[in-house]
Amino acid sequence: MTPFPLPPGSTIGILGGGQLGRMLALAAARLGFDVAILTPEADSPAGRVAAHVIVAEYEEPGALKTLADLCQVITFEFENVPAGAVLELQRLGAEVAPNPRALAVAQDRLEEKTFLNQAGIPTVGFVPIDSEAELRAAFRRFGPPLLLKTRRGGYDGKGQIWVEKADDSAGALAALGQLPAIAETPADFRREVAIIAARGRDGEIALYPLTESHHENGILRRTTAPAAGPPRPHAEAERIAATLLTALNYVGVLGLELFERDDGRLLVNEFAPRVHNTGHWTLDGCGVDQFEQHIRAVAGWPLGPTAATHHVEMTNLLGEEALTWANLAREPETRVWLYGKRDHLPGRKMGHVNRLSALDSPRR
Ligand code: AMP
């Protein structure tokens, strides 16, 4: 049994080698931990700042054994880690957080929305779709339009398509590769908001302020934090986040994306069982950021303060936008975060900037 709280000098394992793993590793290092990264990618963003790197497929038995032997606790930085890898780590006696159930629920949109509704958390209407007949039946039940999404593997707006009428059903299913899917009703939102939530090993909950998300082409472009507006959606989002963390018996940080309707009511779109892009503002806008918070939670440390210290506008640097780093570095109230990725491919998340302003000043 791993003794908690983990003392500095312990090793924390992370499945995944992307930018989230990189920022987790940096936060862990600041608290005196070593990090071991398991990733299939040689020369990964996280691997280059970690004490140990294992380059292997996630389900490679030898790699999992090495990781389990090396680490006192193991976590993950993206939600498409094969569930089998996490279960194997547990079988090897490793301590894994968040728990594999949370990962499994988040990996499948049908299970996710079903779980949320069972916990009393509202979502858009949805039905599972495995055939053209089922999609046509969904049109009869809900009316047009419907948003068809693959149950698994979608991200950044990929794996989903609006279907305007029942006669487009066959084409839409073909466009998504005939994969198991769900059909969703339109959310009719006035804005998209998000909340980063954390739960410690002792059940303590810490919630960051609600933020506003701006997407372009399905990718998060900007986050403004804290979100402007009346307190009601903030309180409602906090209630939802706390309910979800408890229902999942969760340990770590979780990102929750929501739709805000015209009347202020919130619907959950989805949650990610990990640190999240909508929480990058916390790196410069809060006492303890989401990455340190996650490390604290999985290591059994007390959670840190989450109140905003600044207004932040977080903007993702996509593709060649990251090449403007020299100009960005000249802006005194701008904090630059670059992920060390080699190729500036179009749309790829290369870094982000946090533009700060005083909490009591008008928003940019
Ligand atoms: P997702 O991959 O589920 O996060 O969806 C990506 C984006 O598509 C969301 O951030 C929304 O902008 C939009 N979206 C997703 N689901 C719905 C829905 N049911 N109604 C309207 N827009 C949606």
Side-chain angles (χ1 to χ4, degrees):
M1 281 291 281
T2 305
F4 290 108
L6 277 189
S10 307
T11 301
I12 297 178
I14 301 176
L15 298 171
Q19 66 266 19
L20 301 178
R22 180 182 178 96
M23 291 182 274
L24 283 170
L26 293 172
R30 232 175 38 217
L31 299 182
F33 294 113
D34 281 350
V35 161
I37 301 287
L38 171 58
T39 171
E41 185 192 354
D43 191 34
S44 64
R48 292 212 302 283
V49 301
H52 311 273
V53 189
I54 304 164
V55 178
E57 295 302 325
Y58 293 114
E59 287 178 295
E60 226 269 300
L64 292 172
K65 175 85 170 77
T66 307
L67 191 70
D69 289 346
L70 200 57
C71 300
Q72 284 71 59
V73 67
I74 298 171
T75 187
F76 37 87
E77 61 111 45
F78 84 123
E79 67 270 38
N80 291 323
V81 172
V86 176
L87 293 173
E88 175 63 8
L89 285 170
Q90 282 191 321
R91 200 190 61 77
L92 290 165
E95 182 76 35
V96 179
N99 65 63
R101 169 99 180 105
L103 182 68
V105 170
Q107 282 178 346
D108 182 329
R109 291 185 193 277
L110 178 61
E111 277 203 46
E112 182 182 32
K113 287 196 163 59
T114 305
F115 185 90
L116 287 164
N117 287 177
Q118 280 169 356
I121 297 170
T123 64
V124 294
F126 63 95
V127 279
I129 302 290
D130 291 311
S131 66
E132 182 186 348
E134 284 173 348
L135 187 49
R136 285 180 175 276
F139 274 102
R140 288 194 293 278
R141 175 168 165 197
F142 293 118
L146 293 173
L147 184 54
L148 188 68
K149 298 181 177 179
T150 56
R151 279 174 59 172
R152 306 178 73 89
Y155 68 99
D156 285 349
K158 295 186 174 61
Q160 54 178 272
I161 184 170
W162 281 102
V163 196
E164 298 300 330
K165 53 185 193 305
D167 284 346
D168 295 342
S169 296
L173 287 161
L176 293 190
Q178 312 290 355
L179 292 169
I182 64 169
E184 294 184 9
T185 59
D188 292 331
F189 56 89
R190 67 176 171 199
R191 63 175 180 170
E192 292 186 74
V193 292
I195 186 167
I196 300 292
R199 187 166 176 273
R201 289 193 175 272
D202 58 358
E204 178 192 7
I205 286 176
L207 304 169
Y208 288 89
L210 192 70
T211 61
E212 202 173 309
S213 308
H214 303 269
H215 293 91
E216 273 171 29
N217 305 321
I219 300 181
L220 183 71
R221 193 75 187 128
R222 274 185 311 120
T223 300
T224 48
R232 175 172 161 191
H234 293 254
E236 181 66 2
E238 289 181 359
R239 191 190 60 76
I240 289 173
T243 302
L244 178 60
L245 288 172
T246 307
L248 289 168
N249 194 22
Y250 199 84
V251 171
V253 162
L254 172 148
L256 191 56
E257 294 188 276
L258 308 107
F259 301 119
E260 186 184 293
R261 312 269 290 253
D262 280 337
D263 61 3
R265 275 190 54 226
L266 295 178
L267 302 176
V268 170
N269 177 26
E270 61 179 0
F271 67 88
R274 54 168 169 79
V275 287
H276 195 257
N277 197 169
T278 59
H280 288 4
W281 71 279
T282 63
L283 284 162
D284 300 297
C286 290
V288 164
D289 65 73
Q290 63 164 349
F291 300 98
E292 177 175 335
Q293 196 76 283
H294 185 73
I295 297 297
R296 283 177 176 238
V298 302
W301 286 31
L303 300 182
T306 52
T309 54
H310 293 85
H311 278 302
V312 181
E313 182 166 286
M314 188 291 306
T315 306
N316 277 331
L317 299 173
L318 303 178
E320 295 195 343
E321 289 166 6
L323 299 174
T324 62
W325 55 269
N327 289 335
L328 296 167
R330 270 189 208 102
E331 296 177 16
E333 301 306 331
T334 297
R335 305 289 172 265
V336 184
W337 293 83
L338 296 169
Y339 307 150
K341 296 183 185 176
R342 310 285 192 202
D343 300 318
H344 293 74
L345 303 176
R348 190 174 193 202
K349 290 177 180 170
M350 303 299 295
H352 68 271
V353 287
N354 283 332
R355 293 196 167 89
L356 311 185
S357 53
L359 263 186
D360 55 356
S361 71
R363 220 70 59 77
R364 288 162 198 271

